[in-house]
Amino acid sequence: MAARDPYPVGTEEPLTTIDLTQDRLLIDAAVRMDVPFVDLANEHAPYRDELDAAVAGVVDTCSFVLGSEVAAFEASFAEYCGTAHAIGVDSGFSALELMLRAYDIGPGDEVITTANTFVATAAAIDAVGARPVLVDVDPGTHCMSPEDLAGAVTPRTKAVIPVHLFGRVVPMEPIRAVAERHGLLILEDACQAHGARYRNRRAGALGHAAAFSFYPSKNLGAFGDGGMVTTDDASLAQRIRMLRNVGSAEKYIHEIRGFNRRLDTVHAAVLRVKLERLDTANDRRRDAAAAYSALLGDLPVGLPDPAAFGQHVFHLYVVESERRDELQGFLEEWGVSTGIHYPVPIHLQPGYRWLGYGEGDFPVTERLAREMLSLPMFPTIGISQIAYVVRAMTDYFSRVGVWT
Ligand SMILES: *Cc1c(COP(=O)(O)O)cnc(C)c1O
């Protein structure tokens, strides 16, 4: 099947240089392809030797905990984000939790975030004993609604966690205005937004501190769990360094109560290699997103906001359809793997019923949970794979006879 394909998977040619109107995209629908949702093996293949050498280097030195690899990766990541400090931790969840803890946020405090996010954002607020206060998202941007944020502030509110969901940075200016008016800390959840920008500043450098995840499928992914806090605040950075390392900055001196939340050295070594490719990988994700949006333009599906394209890093490419579940099943039959992020909003999750929210409290989030579908998206996706997904979707909407 691949023999017919002029643009095989992982083609070096940027997708935006390909004429999307040419009929070579009209791959014979009878030729079945399996299009994975993500393809890490394919992404790693061209520099697999370097990744193997990075792992072997750690094994050679037997320096498995912290050490110079972690420090070097922290320095590179801080420089990449444009912050003074970066502190490696063992997950995105820990990054969120330690950031809150280092600012002494705990019982009696409230932290505002969106209902439309991965559950870890709220779980980290809960983990420090503070109360997660959820707000809806703006129907246009799908990001935290500044009006809803303003309406949720109480005298107990200490911080706001805007979530740069799917790789799009939350339009920060209106969020900042509300936060400044009420003296709130701005703590970014940048777990899906490595490299994304807002007015030429990177995610991670847009608030008081930010949390990143290096979960393997994120735009910058480790060979297991990992995370990072970025900040310009030197004393916060020092507190997080101690919190992650049983309260210790100096061996066997435990100045504060702490945890073991260190970033493993082997992950830092791998991430250093992958960080060098992050901008290229994000460019390719944007190219793939541009190709999807150009080819899906005539179908009755909601597409990502074109206004956000330049700065977006497309961790996910998400479309919206009232027929989402049926469409997903149809694509599966064609061999196209898709995802739903996220099918059940936090306020309707059994584990978070105690927050006291119910159906109807966040109508935009609830509609999105019914309608969002994440299409295959990874830096080495080929134009033929994208065209195949589009063909499958076109076939679906032709069959059901809904057209705009
Ligand atoms: C992945 C993710 C997290 C948590 O990261 P882990 O490394 O899995 O703990 C938090 N928030 C968002 C928005 C995420 O996508």
Side-chain angles (χ1 to χ4, degrees), residues 52 112 116 119 146 155 163 213 237 244 289 317:
D52 288 348
I112 302 173
N116 187 32
V119 71
V163 183
S213 165
R244 75 168 173 187
Y317 183 90

Side-chain angles (χ1 to χ4, degrees), residues 91-93 96 117-118 120-121 163 189 191-192 213 215 218 226 342:
S91 68
F93 182 98
L96 288 161
T117 176
F118 181 57
T121 320
V163 183
D189 182 336
C191 289
Q192 300 189 1
S213 165
Y215 183 83
K218 301 286 162 99
Y342 297 90

Side-chain angles (χ1 to χ4, degrees), residues 93 96-98 100-101 105-113 118-134 161 259 261 346 349-355:
F93 182 98
L96 288 161
E97 184 195 336
L98 296 191
L100 292 162
R101 241 180 235 292
I105 292 169
D109 297 332
E110 293 177 356
V111 178
I112 302 173
T113 192
F118 181 57
V119 71
T121 320
I125 299 168
D126 183 28
V128 302
R131 183 177 185 82
V133 173
L134 304 178
I161 305 186
F259 306 88
R261 303 289 181 76
I346 295 170
Q349 293 284 358
Y352 290 86
R353 223 164 262 152
W354 62 273
L355 288 175

